[in-house]
Amino acid sequence: MPALPAFPFPSDHALRLAPALAEARGDGAPVQVQPPYGAPAWLVTRYEDARHVFSSPAFGRDPRRAGVADSDVARVTPVDITAQTMVSADPPDHARVRRFVFHTFTPRRIERLRPSTERIADGLVDAMVEQGPPADLFEAFGLTLPVRVICDLLGVPAADQDRFTAWSDSLIEDSGLTPDEVLAGIAEMNDYLGEQADRRVEHPTDDLIGALVRARVEGDRLSRDEMVNLVRTLLAAGHETTASQIPNFVFLLLTNGDYKRLCDEPELVPAAVEELLRYVPLIAQGSFARYVLEETELGGVRLRPGDQVLVELSAANRDGSVFPDPEVLDVARADNPHLAFGFGLHRCVGASLARMELQVALSTLTRRLPGLRLAVPADEVPWHAHRFVRRPRALPVTW
C-alpha cells in the first residue's frame, strides 16, 4: 500500500494556500492524509462538506466518544491543546460550559468595549509615533492590543499580561518545545488561573473570572477544573489569533495597495475585515480533528466510527462554488459567508470580539498612519516557518 500524503502540504509562503489544497478541493471527495502526529485522517476541503462536518451529529469533537486514543488524535501540534476544554467537548457538556461565557461575548456587549479598545489602539500608535520609525508593527501594536483587551475583560492584572503571552505562545508553537514542556506550561497557567479564581471567592470582582466564580459558588454545574480550562482557552484564543491576524492583514493590504484604499474609504473597513478573514489562512491546515461517531458518507466516501476528519477552512473559504473569484482579495466583497470562525455548535464564541478588535486596528492605523509602508522589501519580512497560527516574526514598518 502506498504511503499516504504527508500533511500539512507545502506552500511557498505562509499566507499562500498550498497548491495541493486546491487540487484536493477540485477532486471533490475527501482524501486521506497523514498529519505529523497521530493516526491518518480524511481531509475535507469543500465548503459544503465543511459545514456538514461542523453541523452533523455524525461527527464529534470528543475523541473518547469515537474510541480514539489520545496518542492517535490527528493533529499538527505535539500535544492536543484542546483536550479537556470546551473546544473538545460535545453536547450536553459543551452547551453547559459554553453558556457561561455566551452572554459576555454577544455583539451588543462587545460593542460596549469598542471605545476602550479604540483608546488602547490610539495609545499604542501614540507610542509608535513618539519613538519614531521604523517600528515592528507586530510587537508595538498587533501583540499588545488584543492581550490588553482580553486580559481586561477577564480580569487578569496588567502586571501579569506578559506571562500570558509567553504561555499562549507555548500552547500554539509547534517547534522548539517538547510535549512535556508544553504540558508544563499548561499546568503553570492552570495553577495561576486557579489562584486567581480562589481569590475571587473571598473578594468578588465584576470581571469574567469573577462571574464564573460566582456561578460556581452559587451551585451551578461548573467545576473548578472546567472553569480554569475555560478561562485558559479564552485567554489563549482571545489574544493569539487576533495578534497574528493584525500583522497578516496589514502585510497583505500594504503589498496589494488596498491599505491606501481603506485610508480613502474608511467605510470599507468592516467588509475588508470579513474578506481578510476569508482570505488569510491563519490556522495551520486541518487543525482540530472531528471524530466519526456513526457510519456516514461524505463526498462519496464511506466513513466509519473512529475515523478522523480534518477540515481545511482555508481551502473551504476559497471554494469557487460559493465565492466568486475566490483567489482575489476584494475588500469590498459584499456577500461573504466565510467559515473563518467555524460553523455550528463549535463556532468561535469570541467571533464578535475578534471582529471588533480587527476593525478597530485597521481603522486606527489607516486613520492615524496613512503613510504606513513596509520598512523592508516584502520578500525580506521574516515569517515563522512552523507555527500552529501563522504570522510574521516581525513586521518592520515606517511612515
Side-chain angles (χ1 to χ4, degrees):
M1 179 180 295
L4 295 176
F7 187 81
F9 301 140
S11 176
D12 61 352
H13 190 278
L15 296 186
R16 293 194 189 102
L17 287 191
L21 284 174
E23 295 173 8
R25 188 183 59 234
D27 290 339
V31 295
Q32 203 168 24
V33 296
Q34 177 60 62
Y37 306 95
W42 292 96
L43 181 67
V44 170
T45 53
R46 295 196 309 175
Y47 183 91
E48 290 303 329
D49 287 346
R51 282 172 55 107
H52 177 71
V53 171
F54 286 154
S55 58
S56 170
F59 302 89
R61 276 290 294 129
D62 185 346
R64 296 169 297 183
R65 296 181 63 208
V68 176
D70 291 346
S71 60
D72 288 336
V73 169
R75 60 197 187 278
V76 297
T77 53
V79 173
D80 180 9
I81 62 174
T82 68
Q84 299 179 10
T85 69
M86 178 178 67
V87 179
S88 64
D90 286 331
D93 284 343
H94 175 265
R96 177 176 58 83
V97 175
R98 185 182 176 101
R99 70 182 175 84
F100 283 96
V101 294
F102 178 78
H103 295 295
T104 298
F105 288 94
T106 61
R108 178 178 297 181
R109 285 179 178 267
I110 292 304
E111 196 58 30
R112 296 175 190 167
L113 299 176
R114 188 180 291 267
S116 61
T117 305
E118 291 172 338
R119 287 192 294 272
I120 295 171
D122 272 316
L124 294 174
V125 173
D126 288 341
M128 289 172 58
V129 171
E130 182 177 353
Q131 182 175 340
D136 174 6
L137 188 74
F138 170 69
E139 187 72 29
F141 188 88
L143 178 65
T144 309
L145 175 65
V147 76
R148 285 189 183 176
V149 172
I150 193 65
C151 285
D152 287 349
L153 180 64
L154 295 174
V156 173
D160 293 337
Q161 291 178 6
D162 287 345
R163 298 173 68 185
F164 278 102
T165 299
W167 282 329
S168 181
D169 277 346
S170 74
L171 289 178
I172 65 164
E173 182 61 72
D174 63 354
S175 64
L177 293 176
T178 67
D180 286 344
E181 289 171 331
V182 175
L183 292 173
I186 292 174
E188 185 179 349
M189 193 174 184
N190 284 352
D191 288 343
Y192 173 90
L193 292 172
E195 292 171 1
Q196 290 290 319
D198 292 342
R199 291 176 188 172
R200 285 162 171 78
V201 175
E202 298 295 330
H203 305 285
T205 59
D206 292 330
D207 50 58
L208 182 54
I209 296 178
L212 295 175
V213 168
R214 282 196 302 277
R216 180 168 61 89
V217 170
E218 292 168 5
D220 219 328
R221 295 182 301 153
L222 186 69
S223 71
R224 183 179 186 275
D225 286 346
E226 286 176 328
M227 182 186 65
V228 167
N229 286 332
L230 175 58
V231 175
R232 188 187 79 231
T233 301
L234 293 173
L235 277 166
H239 100 267
E240 183 69 39
T241 53
T242 309
S244 297
Q245 285 291 48
I246 290 173
N248 288 342
F249 285 12
V250 172
F251 174 84
L252 286 174
L253 292 171
L254 290 177
T255 53
N256 76 351
D258 279 325
Y259 186 87
K260 184 179 185 305
R261 183 178 181 184
L262 294 186
C263 292
D264 297 337
E265 302 177 68
E267 68 277 6
L268 287 181
V269 165
V273 166
E274 298 306 312
E275 174 69 345
L276 287 158
L277 286 167
R278 179 193 73 85
Y279 190 85
V280 173
L282 173 65
I283 302 295
Q285 301 171 31
S287 305
F288 302 156
R290 261 67 180 177
Y291 310 99
V292 180
L293 303 177
E294 58 188 61
E295 188 166 338
T296 188
E297 185 175 300
L298 186 67
V301 173
R302 177 62 58 180
L303 302 179
R304 293 172 174 80
D307 284 350
Q308 300 185 65
V309 174
L310 296 174
V311 178
E312 206 345 275
L313 291 178
S314 299
N317 280 336
R318 303 280 185 98
D319 191 330
S321 68
V322 179
F323 304 99
D325 298 320
E327 302 301 325
V328 174
L329 177 63
D330 178 5
V331 296
R333 190 183 295 269
D335 186 16
N336 203 337
H338 63 76
L339 300 176
F341 294 117
F343 184 77
L345 291 176
H346 284 277
R347 186 177 183 277
C348 177
V349 72
S352 295
L353 178 63
R355 279 193 169 98
M356 184 274 290
E357 290 180 290
L358 291 167
Q359 290 171 7
V360 168
L362 293 189
S363 293
T364 302
L365 290 171
T366 52
R367 172 174 53 85
R368 297 286 308 278
L369 299 173
L372 191 74
R373 59 192 184 277
L374 293 178
V376 298
D379 59 3
E380 294 181 13
V381 171
W383 294 84
H384 278 285
H386 303 288
R387 284 186 67 87
F388 173 66
V389 173
R390 303 174 184 183
R391 67 161 172 80
R393 293 200 303 273
L395 189 63
V397 295
T398 187
W399 53 89

